Amino acid sequence: MKTVVKTHLPGEDAPIEWAVSADGILYTAQIPIREDGSIETGDIAAQADLTFSNLRRTIEAAGGTLEDVTQVLVYLTDKAAFQGMNAVYRRYFSKPYPNRATVIVAGLMVPDAMIEIVAYAHIRR
């Protein structure tokens, strides 16, 4: 049975949940969104920092830590943003790193967003 994880992020009107847990696995997707619903439109470092901060806060709301993350899928709108994203990523994760894939996409549904991540975590209870 899936359980919705209550997060700090807005979205009551959208047909999404920021995080869902089932059988000890947390499923979440994150974007550079602030608590007031506005999008960070700065450079990749600012967007990645907010996105990974949202991920950390979401995982903590589910009772876990970033050490519980097993896989991260990173979607970037510009290949040139990879190094900047990677520098921020290293501030949030350490060895052993989660499994990761990074994909360059033509665009994201959120205007001005350069990054979206999907993450899976095994939360021990």
Side-chain angles (χ1 to χ4, degrees), residues 32 41-44 47 75-78 81 108 112-116:
T41 59
D43 65 9
I44 189 60
Q47 288 197 25
Y75 299 90
L76 298 173
T77 59
D78 185 351
L108 299 170
D112 299 319
M114 294 184 281
I115 184 171
E116 182 168 353

Side-chain angles (χ1 to χ4, degrees), residues 60-114:
E60 289 172 352
T65 70
L66 288 176
E67 291 181 6
D68 297 318
V69 175
T70 55
Q71 185 174 47
V72 179
L73 308 174
V74 180
Y75 299 90
L76 298 173
T77 59
D78 185 351
K79 186 176 182 179
F82 179 77
Q83 293 302 327
M85 178 281 299
N86 221 27
V88 173
Y89 187 90
R90 289 177 185 273
R91 293 197 322 252
Y92 285 88
F93 295 102
S94 57
K95 290 183 178 183
Y97 295 107
N99 174 264
R100 184 179 91 183
T102 303
V103 179
I104 307 304
V105 296
L108 299 170
M109 290 302 297
V110 177
D112 299 319
M114 294 184 281

